[in-house]
Every structure is written in C-alpha cells, then in structure tokens.
C-alpha cells in the first residue's frame, strides 16, 4: 500500500480489520459468511476494489459447486459426427468459432473423442494428405456430474486439458464443461476475438445451464420468447430499458438486481447506456 493511502493514518481502524483477518484464518474454523463479511468490509474501506471482492467471493463459491451446476447441457452441445468429412463439418466450425468439438458416433452418448480445430491446419497446407477424422481426434476426458468444480479446475491446470465430457450416474452424457466456464465464475465473462461483439447478431448467448449473456438492446418480446417471461413491452422496448427502470437510475458495471425471479448483472455499461447483461434464471430441469 502507498504512504498516501487515506486509511493508513487510521491506526485503530486498520488494526481492527487486520484483527478480523487473523481471527478468520487462525484458531477454530470460522464460517464462510464471516469471511464474506470481512471481504465486504475491506471493499467498503477501499482496501480492495469491487472487482477483487467479486473474484474472492467467486473463489469461495466455486468450492461449493458441482459440475452439474455449471455444465453446458447436452442439448446445447455442438458436436461432429465421426463419419462426416471435412466439407460436411467445416461450416459448423466456422459458424460457431469454437476451438474444441466433441466427436460422436450414433448419438451424443457415444463420444469418440475431441477435435481441436487447430489440428486441421496441417491438412489445410497439405491438401493431398489423406484425412480421417478418427486419426485426428484426441481422447475425451470424462467426469461425473457430482465432481467438485474446484477439483476439476485443479485437474484442468495440472493435466493441461480444457474440456471435459460430463456424464450422469448411469453413464449417459449430460453435457460438457470447459476451463473457461470455471474461470468465468471467478473473474466474470471472458470475451475473446471470436465472441459476438456489440455489432453481432446473437443477442442471447448461453454461458452455462442457467446463465446467459444478453445484449441490453435485446427486444423485450425476444427476451420474453426466449426466457418465457412476461415483461411488459409498454414499459420499455428493450430488456436494458426494463432493467434501467427497475434500478431507477443509471447503474454501473457489476451492479445487480433481481426482477421477477430473474437476476440481472451489468457486465458492460458506460455513463449513458447499458451494453451487456448477465442473466441468471432459476434452474430448470
């Protein structure tokens, strides 16, 4: 901390906060709620910023979650059939811009492996080289729905793989999970050069089973159709307008609000408008 920190002169206050930290991490175990309160107080005293507080809370929350809570369900999995040739599956790769694809035979319960898009580059520069999808795919990592998310993240890092196929207690495929899905729980949504930007055409993009990235300019009727909600189009033309009206003022990035059981978090905004929202809906079977 720098010497000109406005809180550095308040010795008793700083000491009190540090004492709480010591109590939290020493002696008999304290509750997670106690830890969250210490972190919140640290933010209020400007010892950490809101983003740091969210990341710490994200880390705390991750070890309470199971893979089933964050996986992309099988109905939303983009797969490639092992019998397809390049001409058949290449448009799907270009359209989704994903880097990894489960390769199946018969149906999604029969996973043959994982195709990395980058492994196709060798064939692009040697067009006469014989191509068989079974020669290119890599082994699929299989994890149970009940696996703890923090344990899976450790395995992702140690074993250096980025995607796992999730199976239920009967061995059927129930979805997939990536290291990005876990990191987004901690640091927030990760956008890369292939994600749909503000000028893109995809207004609602699933992040996991119950969380979506939604453009603030998404029309209310489109939002209602997708989420089966009943927001009034007379209140606003866009879902961003509905959220703005609920706040009653211009919210800032990372502000959150719940409207009709739908949780909204502002993930991108400026002084004049909302740009992007994270929408969390009640879990549905």
């Amino acid at each position: 901390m720098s010497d000109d920190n406005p809180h550095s002169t308040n010795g008793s206050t700083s000491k009190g906060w540090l004492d709480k930290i010591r109590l939290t991490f020493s002696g008999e175990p304290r509750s997670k709620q106690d830890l969250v309160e210490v972190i919140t107080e640290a933010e209020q005293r400007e010892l950490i910023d809101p983003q740091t507080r969210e990341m710490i809370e994200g880390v705390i929350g991750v070890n309470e979650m199971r893979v089933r809570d964050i996986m992309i369900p099988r109905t939303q999995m983009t797969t490639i059939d092992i019998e397809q040739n390049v001409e058949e599956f290449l448009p799907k790769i270009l359209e989704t811009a994903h880097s990894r694809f489960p390769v199946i035979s018969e149906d999604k319960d029969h996973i043959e492996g994982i195709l990395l898009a980058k492994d196709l580059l060798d064939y692009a520069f040697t067009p006469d080289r014989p191509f068989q999808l079974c020669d290119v795919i890599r082994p699929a990592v299989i994890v149970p729905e009940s696996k703890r998310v923090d344990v899976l993240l450790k395995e992702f890092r140690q074993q250096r793989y980025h995607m796992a196929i999730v199976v239920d207690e009967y061995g059927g495929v129930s979805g997939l999970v990536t290291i990005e899905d876990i990191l987004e729980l901690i640091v927030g949504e990760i956008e890369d050069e292939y994600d749909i930007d503000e000028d893109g055409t995809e207004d609602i993009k699933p992040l996991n089973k119950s969380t979506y990235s939604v453009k603030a300019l998404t029309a209310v009727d489109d939002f209602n159709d997708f989420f089966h909600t009943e927001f009034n189009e007379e209140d606003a033309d866009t879902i961003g307008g509905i959220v703005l009206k609920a706040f009653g003022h211009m919210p800032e990035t990372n502000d959150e609000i719940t409207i009709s059981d739908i949780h909204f978090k502002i993930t991108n905004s400026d002084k004049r408008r909302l740009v992007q929202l994270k929408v969390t809906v009640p879990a549905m079977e």
Side-chain angles (χ1 to χ4, degrees):
M1 300 297 291
S2 61
D3 293 336
D4 59 352
N5 188 309
H7 298 288
S8 62
T9 59
N10 191 341
S12 61
T13 299
S14 297
K15 183 178 179 180
W17 187 83
L18 291 173
D19 286 342
K20 287 187 177 182
I21 287 288
R22 294 190 189 98
L23 286 172
T24 300
F25 290 102
S26 63
E28 60 181 288
R30 304 285 181 173
S31 70
K32 291 182 180 178
Q33 183 58 41
D34 287 343
L35 179 56
V36 170
E37 289 176 359
V38 170
I39 296 167
T40 301
E41 184 176 345
E43 178 193 356
Q44 292 171 346
R45 298 184 183 281
E46 299 182 1
L47 297 174
I48 59 175
D49 57 34
Q51 290 73 27
T52 302
R53 189 260 304 162
E54 285 194 351
M55 288 180 62
I56 296 173
E57 291 182 354
V59 172
I60 295 172
V62 160
N63 72 350
E64 298 178 338
M65 303 183 74
R66 304 288 173 170
V67 170
R68 69 170 70 90
D69 299 321
I70 68 167
M71 69 180 183
I72 298 171
R74 64 179 285 157
T75 55
Q76 296 176 9
M77 288 170 49
T78 301
T79 60
I80 294 173
D81 193 290
I82 197 166
E83 299 297 331
Q84 290 182 313
N85 56 40
V86 176
E87 289 76 16
E88 290 173 317
F89 67 71
L90 186 58
K92 184 179 298 185
I93 291 179
L94 296 175
E95 178 183 357
T96 62
H98 294 167
S99 59
R100 293 169 175 80
F101 298 84
V103 177
I104 65 172
S105 61
E106 298 183 35
D107 57 35
K108 291 181 179 179
D109 283 325
H110 296 79
I111 303 292
E112 300 295 330
I114 304 295
L115 172 66
L116 273 62
K118 68 178 184 178
D119 288 342
L120 298 175
L121 291 176
D122 287 342
Y123 294 89
F125 293 104
T126 54
D128 296 332
R129 181 179 175 184
F131 176 83
Q132 291 289 332
L133 192 53
C134 60
D135 296 331
V136 181
I137 59 176
R138 304 191 184 196
V141 175
I142 308 297
V143 300
E145 288 184 352
S146 58
K147 193 178 192 69
R148 279 175 39 183
V149 171
D150 59 337
V151 174
L152 179 59
L153 177 59
K154 184 177 181 179
E155 292 178 359
F156 273 148
R157 295 177 58 199
Q158 290 179 339
Q159 301 178 28
R160 297 188 178 183
Y161 58 88
H162 290 182
M163 174 184 286
I165 302 299
V166 184
V167 297
D168 59 26
E169 58 184 316
Y170 303 106
V173 172
S174 52
L176 63 81
V177 62
T178 69
I179 190 171
E180 183 176 281
D181 295 326
I182 302 176
L183 294 177
E184 285 183 339
L185 295 174
I186 301 172
V187 302
E189 184 180 356
I190 300 172
E191 296 284 351
D192 61 28
E193 65 270 31
Y194 299 109
D195 286 331
I196 302 298
D197 60 20
E198 185 180 352
D199 295 325
T201 56
E202 187 177 348
D203 291 343
I204 302 173
K205 182 178 70 172
L207 300 177
N208 57 50
K209 187 163 59 173
S210 60
T211 307
Y212 300 79
S213 178
V214 179
K215 287 184 181 180
L217 291 179
T218 300
V220 172
D221 58 343
D222 291 340
F223 187 93
N224 286 339
D225 288 343
F226 188 92
F227 291 104
H228 307 292
T229 50
E230 297 180 351
F231 290 112
N232 194 336
E233 296 177 54
E234 295 182 359
D235 292 338
D237 294 329
T238 67
I239 192 60
I242 296 291
V243 173
L244 186 61
K245 183 175 181 180
F247 271 106
H249 63 273
M250 177 57 68
E252 298 180 354
T253 299
N254 294 321
D255 283 352
E256 303 178 48
I257 193 170
T258 299
I259 313 171
S260 301
D261 294 329
I262 308 293
H263 187 76
F264 295 88
K265 179 177 179 179
I266 314 301
T267 57
N268 190 4
S269 65
D270 56 34
K271 294 181 179 179
R272 298 178 295 107
R273 58 175 182 155
L274 306 182
V275 178
Q276 201 78 19
L277 309 170
K278 178 182 284 188
V279 175
T280 302
V281 299
M284 296 181 293
E285 295 297 334

